Amino acid sequence: MELTSLSRQQNVRTNSQLAGLNPFIDEKGILRVGGRLKHSEMAYDMKHPIILPKNHSFTTIIINQVHLLNLHSSLSVTMTLLRQRYWIIHDWSSVKRVIHNCIKCYRFRKAACHQLMSNLPTSRITRATAFEKVGADFAGPFNIKSKLRCRTFTKSYLTLFICLTTKAVHLEKVDELSTEDFIATLRLPAIISSDNGTNFTGTKNKLCELYKLIQQLDHQNSVTLFCQSKEIHSTCFASSWRVVGIEYKVYQGYSE
């Protein structure tokens, strides 16, 4: 009906869906949107987009082509790209129907599974003094100068101790990622949580050996006699080390 009226140089009916678009038929017989952009520098297709019906197979093919060429673009992106050349009547519902029927987009719209988090460990939710329960890790390397006017750089690392109760952070500088350097940074925490790094497991093994040595009666008697002779009152501190969920009892040292 609208094409007949326009081909006769007549205006479309006021109750038509094209009445507000000021449509016209170009020299190739294509129905386009009119407007006031005749003297604009934009492309001809952008100034006068091609009018397409809502429920037509050709409209579906055009929408599907734009959707696929732009790597399965979303609803808003597909509509924006279409409007650069086409004016689809009720384009929102047409584009939404095509994207909804896209098999690949349907697969990616599936709701992702959310893993149910386990309960927090006891060391995270019980009262404790600062740095009584810590998590340990290394950061680096960092290039530093040993002297102010030195041109050469040396690698250094940081040992991070994070308090599991207050989230406070304590940093210790170490020269290497070795077991000996990590042992030198320890400050008698009650629980240490770490990953399965060789320096952490090596520290655990050495401290376990020391703890077993301290538990021997002969060694305890010799230490007791030595302390009594020197009038030293010693106290043995034991800590637990948690490496990848396994807790170990390890000896930390003496305190005078």
Side-chain angles (χ1 to χ4, degrees), residues 110-185:
K110 297 296 289 184
C113 297
H114 297 282
Q115 183 68 33
L116 182 63
M117 301 296 291
S118 62
N119 293 325
L120 293 173
T122 307
S123 58
R124 292 278 305 275
I125 56 178
T126 54
R127 290 185 177 182
T129 58
F131 293 100
E132 181 179 348
K133 304 171 184 179
V134 300
D137 204 353
F138 282 98
F142 301 96
N143 294 324
I144 64 172
K145 291 183 178 181
S146 57
K147 296 180 180 179
L148 182 61
R149 297 183 180 275
C150 182
R151 294 184 178 181
T152 59
F153 290 89
T154 58
K155 288 185 178 180
S156 295
Y157 302 86
L158 287 178
T159 307
L160 287 79
F161 293 97
I162 303 174
C163 178
L164 301 180
T165 305
T166 63
K167 303 302 183 198
V169 179
H170 176 72
L171 304 178
E172 290 282 349
K173 175 185 169 297
V174 293
D175 295 329
E176 297 179 354
L177 298 177
S178 61
T179 300
E180 291 74 13
D181 284 10
F182 180 68
I183 292 177
T185 62

Coordinates of all heavy atoms in Angstrom, one line a residue, residues 110-185:
K110 N 24.2 -19.7 28.8 CA 24.0 -20.6 29.9 C 24.6 -20.1 31.2 O 25.7 -19.6 31.2 CB 24.5 -22.0 29.6 CG 23.8 -22.7 28.4 CD 22.3 -22.9 28.6 CE 22.1 -24.0 29.6 NZ 20.7 -24.3 29.8
A111 N 23.9 -20.2 32.2 CA 24.4 -19.7 33.5 C 25.6 -20.5 34.0 O 25.6 -21.7 33.9 CB 23.3 -19.7 34.6
A112 N 26.6 -19.8 34.4 CA 27.8 -20.4 34.9 C 27.6 -21.0 36.2 O 26.9 -20.5 37.0 CB 29.0 -19.5 34.9
C113 N 28.3 -22.1 36.5 CA 28.2 -22.8 37.8 C 29.0 -22.0 38.8 O 30.1 -21.6 38.5 CB 28.7 -24.2 37.7 SG 27.7 -25.2 36.6
H114 N 28.5 -21.8 40.0 CA 29.2 -21.1 41.1 C 29.5 -22.1 42.1 O 28.6 -22.7 42.7 CB 28.3 -20.0 41.6 CG 28.0 -18.9 40.6 ND1 28.9 -17.9 40.3 CD2 26.9 -18.6 39.9 CE1 28.4 -17.1 39.4 NE2 27.2 -17.5 39.1
Q115 N 30.8 -22.2 42.4 CA 31.3 -23.2 43.4 C 30.9 -22.7 44.8 O 31.1 -21.5 45.1 CB 32.8 -23.3 43.3 CG 33.4 -24.4 44.2 CD 32.9 -25.8 43.9 OE1 32.7 -26.1 42.7 NE2 32.7 -26.6 44.9
L116 N 30.3 -23.5 45.6 CA 30.0 -23.2 47.0 C 31.3 -23.2 47.8 O 32.0 -24.2 47.8 CB 29.0 -24.2 47.5 CG 28.5 -23.9 49.0 CD1 27.8 -22.6 49.0 CD2 27.7 -25.1 49.5
M117 N 31.6 -22.1 48.4 CA 32.8 -21.9 49.2 C 32.7 -22.7 50.4 O 31.7 -22.8 51.1 CB 33.1 -20.4 49.5 CG 33.2 -19.6 48.3 SD 34.6 -20.0 47.2 CE 35.9 -19.5 48.3
S118 N 33.8 -23.3 50.8 CA 33.9 -24.1 52.1 C 34.0 -23.1 53.3 O 34.2 -21.9 53.1 CB 35.1 -25.0 52.0 OG 36.3 -24.3 51.9
N119 N 33.9 -23.7 54.4 CA 33.9 -22.9 55.7 C 35.3 -22.4 55.9 O 36.3 -23.0 55.5 CB 33.6 -23.8 56.9 CG 32.1 -24.2 56.8 OD1 31.3 -23.4 56.4 ND2 31.8 -25.4 57.3
L120 N 35.4 -21.2 56.5 CA 36.7 -20.6 56.7 C 37.5 -21.4 57.8 O 36.8 -22.0 58.7 CB 36.5 -19.2 57.2 CG 36.0 -18.2 56.2 CD1 35.7 -16.8 56.9 CD2 37.0 -18.0 55.1
P121 N 38.8 -21.5 57.7 CA 39.5 -22.3 58.7 C 39.5 -21.6 60.1 O 39.2 -20.4 60.2 CB 41.0 -22.2 58.2 CG 41.0 -21.1 57.2 CD 39.7 -20.9 56.6
T122 N 39.8 -22.4 61.1 CA 39.7 -21.9 62.5 C 40.6 -20.7 62.7 O 40.3 -19.7 63.4 CB 40.0 -23.0 63.4 OG1 39.1 -24.1 63.2 CG2 39.7 -22.5 64.9
S123 N 41.8 -20.7 62.1 CA 42.7 -19.6 62.3 C 42.2 -18.3 61.7 O 42.8 -17.2 62.1 CB 44.1 -20.0 61.6 OG 43.9 -20.2 60.2
R124 N 41.2 -18.3 60.9 CA 40.7 -17.0 60.3 C 39.6 -16.4 61.1 O 39.3 -15.2 60.9 CB 40.2 -17.3 58.9 CG 41.3 -17.6 57.9 CD 41.9 -16.4 57.3 NE 41.0 -15.5 56.8 CZ 40.5 -15.5 55.5 NH1 40.9 -16.5 54.7 NH2 39.6 -14.6 55.1
I125 N 39.0 -17.2 62.0 CA 37.7 -16.7 62.6 C 37.8 -16.7 64.1 O 36.8 -16.5 64.8 CB 36.5 -17.5 62.1 CG1 36.7 -19.0 62.4 CG2 36.2 -17.2 60.7 CD1 35.5 -19.8 62.0
T126 N 39.0 -17.1 64.7 CA 39.1 -17.1 66.2 C 40.0 -15.9 66.6 O 40.9 -15.4 65.8 CB 39.7 -18.4 66.6 OG1 41.0 -18.6 65.9 CG2 38.8 -19.5 66.4
R127 N 39.8 -15.4 67.8 CA 40.6 -14.3 68.3 C 42.0 -14.7 68.5 O 42.3 -15.8 69.0 CB 40.0 -13.8 69.6 CG 38.6 -13.1 69.4 CD 38.2 -12.5 70.8 NE 36.9 -11.8 70.6 CZ 36.3 -11.2 71.6 NH1 36.9 -11.2 72.9 NH2 35.2 -10.6 71.4
A128 N 42.9 -13.8 68.2 CA 44.3 -14.0 68.4 C 45.0 -12.7 68.3 O 44.5 -11.7 67.8 CB 44.9 -15.0 67.3
T129 N 46.2 -12.7 68.9 CA 47.0 -11.5 68.8 C 47.6 -11.3 67.4 O 47.6 -12.2 66.6 CB 48.2 -11.6 69.8 OG1 49.0 -12.7 69.6 CG2 47.6 -11.6 71.3
A130 N 48.1 -10.1 67.1 CA 48.6 -9.8 65.8 C 49.8 -10.7 65.5 O 50.7 -10.9 66.3 CB 49.0 -8.4 65.7
F131 N 49.8 -11.3 64.3 CA 50.8 -12.2 63.8 C 51.0 -13.5 64.6 O 52.1 -14.1 64.5 CB 52.1 -11.4 63.6 CG 52.1 -10.4 62.6 CD1 51.9 -9.0 63.0 CD2 52.2 -10.6 61.3 CE1 51.9 -8.0 62.0 CE2 52.2 -9.6 60.3 CZ 52.0 -8.3 60.7
E132 N 50.0 -13.8 65.4 CA 50.0 -15.1 66.0 C 49.7 -16.3 65.0 O 50.3 -17.3 65.1 CB 49.0 -15.2 67.2 CG 49.0 -16.5 67.9 CD 48.0 -16.5 69.0 OE1 47.5 -15.5 69.4 OE2 47.8 -17.6 69.6
K133 N 48.9 -15.9 64.0 CA 48.5 -16.8 62.9 C 48.8 -16.1 61.6 O 48.1 -15.1 61.4 CB 47.1 -17.3 63.0 CG 46.8 -17.9 64.4 CD 45.3 -18.2 64.5 CE 45.0 -18.7 65.9 NZ 43.5 -18.9 66.1
V134 N 49.7 -16.6 60.8 CA 50.1 -15.8 59.6 C 50.1 -16.7 58.4 O 50.1 -18.0 58.5 CB 51.5 -15.3 59.8 CG1 51.6 -14.3 61.0 CG2 52.6 -16.4 59.9
G135 N 50.0 -16.1 57.3 CA 50.2 -16.7 56.0 C 51.5 -16.2 55.4 O 51.8 -15.0 55.4
A136 N 52.3 -17.1 54.8 CA 53.7 -16.7 54.4 C 53.8 -16.9 52.9 O 53.2 -17.8 52.3 CB 54.8 -17.5 55.1
D137 N 54.5 -16.0 52.2 CA 54.8 -16.1 50.8 C 55.9 -15.2 50.4 O 56.3 -14.3 51.2 CB 53.5 -15.7 50.0 CG 53.6 -16.4 48.6 OD1 54.6 -17.0 48.2 OD2 52.6 -16.3 47.8
F138 N 56.4 -15.3 49.2 CA 57.6 -14.5 48.7 C 57.1 -13.6 47.6 O 56.1 -13.9 46.9 CB 58.7 -15.4 48.2 CG 59.5 -16.0 49.3 CD1 59.3 -17.3 49.7 CD2 60.5 -15.3 49.9 CE1 60.1 -17.8 50.7 CE2 61.3 -15.8 50.9 CZ 61.1 -17.1 51.3
A139 N 57.8 -12.5 47.4 CA 57.5 -11.6 46.3 C 58.8 -11.1 45.7 O 59.8 -11.0 46.4 CB 56.7 -10.3 46.8
G140 N 58.8 -10.9 44.4 CA 60.0 -10.5 43.8 C 60.3 -11.3 42.5 O 59.4 -12.0 42.0
P141 N 61.5 -11.1 41.9 CA 62.7 -10.4 42.5 C 62.6 -8.9 42.3 O 61.9 -8.4 41.4 CB 63.8 -11.1 41.7 CG 63.2 -11.4 40.4 CD 61.8 -11.8 40.7
F142 N 63.4 -8.2 43.1 CA 63.6 -6.8 43.0 C 65.1 -6.5 42.8 O 65.9 -7.0 43.4 CB 63.1 -6.1 44.2 CG 61.7 -6.3 44.5 CD1 61.3 -7.3 45.5 CD2 60.6 -5.6 43.9 CE1 60.0 -7.6 45.7 CE2 59.3 -5.8 44.2 CZ 59.0 -6.8 45.1
N143 N 65.3 -5.6 41.8 CA 66.7 -5.2 41.5 C 67.1 -4.0 42.4 O 66.4 -2.9 42.4 CB 66.9 -4.8 40.1 CG 66.7 -6.0 39.1 OD1 67.1 -7.1 39.4 ND2 66.1 -5.7 38.0
I144 N 68.1 -4.2 43.3 CA 68.5 -3.1 44.2 C 70.0 -2.9 44.1 O 70.7 -3.8 43.5 CB 68.1 -3.5 45.7 CG1 68.9 -4.8 46.1 CG2 66.6 -3.7 45.8 CD1 68.7 -5.1 47.6
K145 N 70.5 -1.8 44.6 CA 71.9 -1.5 44.6 C 72.4 -1.7 46.1 O 71.8 -1.3 47.0 CB 72.1 -0.1 44.3 CG 71.9 0.3 42.8 CD 72.2 1.7 42.5 CE 72.0 2.0 41.0 NZ 72.4 3.4 40.7
S146 N 73.5 -2.4 46.1 CA 74.1 -2.7 47.4 C 74.7 -1.4 48.1 O 74.7 -1.3 49.3 CB 75.2 -3.7 47.3 OG 76.2 -3.3 46.4
K147 N 75.2 -0.5 47.2 CA 75.7 0.8 47.7 C 75.0 1.9 46.9 O 74.5 1.7 45.8 CB 77.2 0.8 47.5 CG 77.9 -0.2 48.4 CD 79.5 -0.1 48.2 CE 80.2 -1.1 49.0 NZ 81.7 -1.0 48.8
L148 N 75.1 3.1 47.4 CA 74.4 4.2 46.8 C 75.0 4.5 45.4 O 74.2 4.8 44.4 CB 74.5 5.5 47.7 CG 73.8 6.7 47.1 CD1 72.3 6.5 47.0 CD2 74.0 7.9 48.1
R149 N 76.3 4.5 45.2 CA 76.9 4.9 44.0 C 77.3 3.6 43.2 O 78.1 3.8 42.2 CB 78.2 5.7 44.2 CG 77.8 7.1 44.9 CD 79.1 7.9 45.1 NE 78.8 9.2 45.7 CZ 78.4 10.3 45.1 NH1 78.3 10.2 43.8 NH2 78.1 11.4 45.7
C150 N 76.8 2.5 43.5 CA 77.2 1.3 42.8 C 76.3 1.2 41.5 O 75.1 1.5 41.6 CB 77.0 0.1 43.7 SG 77.4 -1.5 42.9
R151 N 76.9 0.8 40.4 CA 76.2 0.7 39.2 C 75.6 -0.7 39.0 O 74.6 -0.8 38.2 CB 77.1 0.9 38.0 CG 77.7 2.4 38.0 CD 78.5 2.6 36.7 NE 79.0 4.0 36.6 CZ 79.8 4.4 35.6 NH1 80.1 3.6 34.6 NH2 80.2 5.7 35.6
T152 N 76.0 -1.7 39.6 CA 75.5 -3.0 39.5 C 74.3 -3.2 40.4 O 74.2 -2.7 41.5 CB 76.6 -4.1 39.8 OG1 77.0 -3.9 41.1 CG2 77.7 -3.9 38.8
F153 N 73.4 -4.0 39.9 CA 72.2 -4.4 40.6 C 72.2 -5.8 41.1 O 72.8 -6.7 40.4 CB 70.9 -4.2 39.8 CG 70.6 -2.7 39.5 CD1 71.2 -2.1 38.4 CD2 69.8 -2.0 40.3 CE1 70.9 -0.8 38.1 CE2 69.5 -0.7 40.0 CZ 70.0 -0.1 38.9
T154 N 71.7 -6.1 42.2 CA 71.5 -7.5 42.7 C 70.1 -7.8 43.0 O 69.3 -6.9 43.3 CB 72.3 -7.6 44.0 OG1 71.9 -6.7 45.0 CG2 73.8 -7.4 43.8
K155 N 69.8 -9.0 42.9 CA 68.4 -9.5 43.1 C 68.1 -9.7 44.5 O 68.9 -10.3 45.3 CB 68.1 -10.7 42.3 CG 68.0 -10.5 40.8 CD 67.6 -11.8 40.1 CE 67.4 -11.6 38.6 NZ 67.0 -12.8 37.9
S156 N 67.0 -9.2 45.0 CA 66.5 -9.4 46.3 C 65.0 -9.8 46.3 O 64.3 -9.5 45.3 CB 66.7 -8.2 47.2 OG 68.1 -7.9 47.4
Y157 N 64.6 -10.4 47.4 CA 63.2 -10.8 47.5 C 62.6 -10.3 48.8 O 63.3 -9.9 49.7 CB 63.1 -12.3 47.4 CG 63.6 -12.9 46.1 CD1 65.0 -13.2 46.0 CD2 62.8 -13.2 45.1 CE1 65.5 -13.8 44.9 CE2 63.4 -13.8 43.9 CZ 64.7 -14.0 43.8 OH 65.3 -14.5 42.7
L158 N 61.3 -10.4 48.9 CA 60.6 -10.0 50.1 C 59.8 -11.2 50.6 O 59.1 -11.9 49.8 CB 59.6 -8.8 49.8 CG 60.2 -7.5 49.6 CD1 59.1 -6.4 49.3 CD2 61.0 -7.0 50.8
T159 N 59.9 -11.4 51.9 CA 59.1 -12.4 52.5 C 57.9 -11.7 53.1 O 58.0 -10.8 53.9 CB 59.8 -13.2 53.6 OG1 61.1 -13.7 53.1 CG2 59.0 -14.3 54.2
L160 N 56.7 -12.2 52.7 CA 55.4 -11.5 53.2 C 54.8 -12.4 54.3 O 54.6 -13.6 54.1 CB 54.4 -11.4 52.1 CG 54.7 -10.3 51.0 CD1 55.7 -10.8 50.0 CD2 53.4 -9.9 50.3
F161 N 54.6 -11.8 55.4 CA 53.8 -12.4 56.5 C 52.5 -11.6 56.7 O 52.5 -10.5 57.1 CB 54.6 -12.4 57.8 CG 55.9 -13.2 57.8 CD1 57.1 -12.7 57.5 CD2 55.8 -14.6 58.0 CE1 58.2 -13.5 57.4 CE2 56.9 -15.4 57.9 CZ 58.1 -14.8 57.7
I162 N 51.4 -12.3 56.4 CA 50.1 -11.7 56.5 C 49.4 -12.2 57.7 O 49.2 -13.4 57.8 CB 49.3 -11.9 55.2 CG1 50.0 -11.4 54.0 CG2 47.9 -11.3 55.3 CD1 49.4 -11.7 52.7
C163 N 49.0 -11.4 58.6 CA 48.3 -11.8 59.8 C 46.9 -12.2 59.4 O 46.1 -11.5 58.8 CB 48.2 -10.6 60.8 SG 47.2 -11.0 62.3
L164 N 46.5 -13.5 59.7 CA 45.2 -14.0 59.4 C 44.1 -13.4 60.2 O 42.9 -13.6 59.9 CB 45.2 -15.5 59.5 CG 46.3 -16.3 58.7 CD1 46.2 -17.8 58.9 CD2 46.1 -16.0 57.2
T165 N 44.4 -12.7 61.3 CA 43.4 -12.1 62.1 C 43.1 -10.7 61.8 O 42.0 -10.3 61.7 CB 43.8 -12.3 63.6 OG1 44.0 -13.6 63.9 CG2 42.7 -11.8 64.5
T166 N 44.2 -9.9 61.7 CA 44.0 -8.5 61.4 C 44.3 -8.0 60.0 O 44.1 -6.9 59.7 CB 45.0 -7.7 62.4 OG1 46.3 -8.0 62.0 CG2 44.7 -8.0 63.8
K167 N 44.8 -8.9 59.1 CA 45.2 -8.6 57.8 C 46.4 -7.7 57.7 O 46.7 -7.1 56.6 CB 44.0 -8.1 56.9 CG 42.8 -9.0 56.9 CD 43.1 -10.3 56.3 CE 41.9 -11.1 56.2 NZ 42.1 -12.6 56.1
A168 N 47.1 -7.5 58.8 CA 48.3 -6.7 58.7 C 49.4 -7.4 58.0 O 49.4 -8.7 57.9 CB 48.8 -6.3 60.1
V169 N 50.3 -6.7 57.4 CA 51.4 -7.3 56.5 C 52.7 -6.9 57.1 O 53.0 -5.7 57.4 CB 51.3 -6.8 55.1 CG1 52.4 -7.4 54.2 CG2 49.9 -7.2 54.5
H170 N 53.6 -7.9 57.2 CA 55.0 -7.6 57.7 C 55.9 -8.1 56.6 O 55.7 -9.2 56.0 CB 55.3 -8.4 59.0 CG 56.7 -8.3 59.4 ND1 57.2 -7.1 60.0 CD2 57.7 -9.2 59.4 CE1 58.5 -7.3 60.3 NE2 58.8 -8.5 59.9
L171 N 56.9 -7.3 56.2 CA 57.8 -7.6 55.2 C 59.2 -7.8 55.7 O 59.7 -7.1 56.6 CB 57.8 -6.5 54.1 CG 56.5 -6.1 53.5 CD1 56.7 -4.9 52.5 CD2 55.9 -7.3 52.8
E172 N 59.9 -8.8 55.2 CA 61.3 -9.1 55.5 C 62.1 -9.2 54.2 O 61.7 -10.0 53.3 CB 61.4 -10.3 56.3 CG 60.9 -10.2 57.8 CD 61.9 -9.5 58.7 OE1 63.0 -9.3 58.3 OE2 61.5 -9.1 59.8
K173 N 63.2 -8.6 54.1 CA 64.1 -8.7 52.9 C 65.0 -9.9 53.0 O 65.6 -10.1 54.1 CB 64.9 -7.4 52.7 CG 65.9 -7.5 51.6 CD 66.8 -6.3 51.6 CE 68.0 -6.5 50.6 NZ 68.9 -7.5 51.1
V174 N 65.0 -10.7 51.9 CA 65.9 -11.8 51.9 C 66.7 -11.8 50.5 O 66.2 -11.2 49.6 CB 65.1 -13.2 52.0 CG1 64.5 -13.3 53.3 CG2 64.1 -13.2 50.9
D175 N 67.9 -12.4 50.5 CA 68.7 -12.4 49.3 C 68.4 -13.5 48.4 O 68.6 -13.4 47.2 CB 70.2 -12.4 49.7 CG 70.6 -11.2 50.5 OD1 70.0 -10.1 50.3 OD2 71.5 -11.3 51.4
E176 N 67.9 -14.6 48.9 CA 67.6 -15.8 48.1 C 66.3 -16.4 48.5 O 65.8 -16.2 49.7 CB 68.7 -16.8 48.2 CG 70.1 -16.3 47.6 CD 71.1 -17.4 47.8 OE1 70.9 -18.4 48.4 OE2 72.3 -17.1 47.3
L177 N 65.7 -17.3 47.6 CA 64.5 -18.0 48.0 C 64.9 -19.4 48.6 O 64.5 -20.4 48.1 CB 63.7 -18.2 46.7 CG 63.1 -17.0 46.1 CD1 62.4 -17.3 44.8 CD2 62.2 -16.2 47.0
S178 N 65.7 -19.3 49.6 CA 66.3 -20.5 50.2 C 65.6 -20.8 51.5 O 65.0 -19.9 52.1 CB 67.8 -20.4 50.4 OG 68.1 -19.4 51.3
T179 N 65.8 -22.1 52.0 CA 65.2 -22.4 53.3 C 65.9 -21.7 54.4 O 65.2 -21.2 55.3 CB 65.3 -24.0 53.5 OG1 64.6 -24.6 52.4 CG2 64.8 -24.4 54.8
E180 N 67.2 -21.5 54.3 CA 67.9 -20.9 55.4 C 67.5 -19.4 55.5 O 67.3 -18.9 56.6 CB 69.4 -20.9 55.1 CG 70.0 -22.3 55.2 CD 69.7 -23.2 54.1 OE1 69.2 -22.7 53.0 OE2 69.9 -24.5 54.2
D181 N 67.3 -18.7 54.4 CA 66.9 -17.3 54.5 C 65.5 -17.2 55.0 O 65.2 -16.2 55.7 CB 66.9 -16.7 53.1 CG 68.4 -16.4 52.6 OD1 69.3 -16.8 53.3 OD2 68.5 -15.7 51.6
F182 N 64.6 -18.1 54.7 CA 63.3 -18.0 55.2 C 63.3 -18.3 56.7 O 62.5 -17.7 57.5 CB 62.4 -19.0 54.5 CG 61.0 -19.0 55.0 CD1 60.1 -17.9 54.8 CD2 60.5 -20.1 55.7 CE1 58.8 -17.9 55.3 CE2 59.1 -20.1 56.2 CZ 58.3 -19.0 56.0
I183 N 64.1 -19.3 57.2 CA 64.1 -19.5 58.6 C 64.6 -18.3 59.4 O 64.2 -18.0 60.5 CB 65.1 -20.8 58.9 CG1 64.4 -22.0 58.3 CG2 65.3 -20.9 60.4 CD1 65.3 -23.3 58.4
A184 N 65.5 -17.5 58.8 CA 66.1 -16.4 59.4 C 65.0 -15.3 59.6 O 65.2 -14.4 60.4 CB 67.2 -15.8 58.6
T185 N 63.9 -15.3 58.8 CA 62.9 -14.3 58.9 C 61.8 -14.6 59.9 O 60.9 -13.8 60.2 CB 62.3 -14.0 57.6 OG1 61.6 -15.2 57.1 CG2 63.3 -13.6 56.6

